[in-house]
Amino acid sequence: PQLILARADGQLVPAMAYLQVDLNERRFLVPYFGIATGYEWLTLSANDYRNDAEASAKYANYAWEGWGGLGMRLGPDMTFDFEAFYNGGSLERDVVDEFGQSWTDAVDVNGVGARVGVNFQF
């Protein structure tokens, strides 16, 4: 048995234009790198089950991303990719407190990550 006292969830949704360069078009292994810029939305929600309290917040702003990886060719227009990426941005929202004073609340979304998946080229 376990007791859950609180829970927090977040969803980050990007919409970006990107440029990717493949360094090899014909061989089995395809090294590549890329960069993207655009807009990101972040939705956070939290539940405190001890006090029966809920809270949510939505943030948005411009962001960017850079990545590099290696693809294994599965066909003429398909690769299985392994890549590392860096996402950079500060997503913000305007807040007015109970005294009427407005300020900007920000979430730093800078960080590294990794992705694995099948890449289809059209």
Side-chain angles (χ1 to χ4, degrees):
Q2 68 185 38
L3 178 62
I4 299 174
L5 300 176
R7 179 183 184 115
D9 294 307
Q11 291 82 33
L12 179 65
V13 178
M16 295 188 170
Y18 71 93
L19 173 67
Q20 180 171 305
V21 177
D22 292 343
L23 299 176
N24 182 346
E25 291 284 330
R26 294 185 171 87
R27 298 196 187 249
F28 177 68
L29 294 177
V30 182
Y32 61 91
F33 64 92
I35 191 163
T37 186
Y39 211 77
E40 289 182 340
W41 295 267
L42 175 65
T43 302
L44 298 175
S45 60
N47 292 318
D48 184 346
Y49 299 118
R50 295 172 298 168
N51 303 328
D52 199 28
E54 295 181 8
S56 65
K58 294 181 181 182
Y59 300 84
N61 205 354
Y62 294 100
W64 67 277
E65 190 171 292
W67 63 90
L70 187 64
M72 292 188 308
R73 190 164 305 286
L74 301 175
D77 296 328
M78 184 170 43
T79 57
F80 188 75
D81 293 349
F82 304 88
E83 70 184 41
F85 66 91
Y86 181 84
N87 191 77
S90 177
L91 307 185
E92 301 174 349
R93 70 180 182 138
D94 293 326
V95 178
V96 177
D97 64 17
E98 63 270 11
F99 303 110
Q101 184 171 345
S102 61
W103 45 282
T104 300
D105 187 19
V107 175
D108 182 8
V109 292
N110 296 332
V112 297
R115 292 185 279 246
V116 177
V118 177
N119 183 9
F120 298 95
Q121 298 178 2
F122 299 100

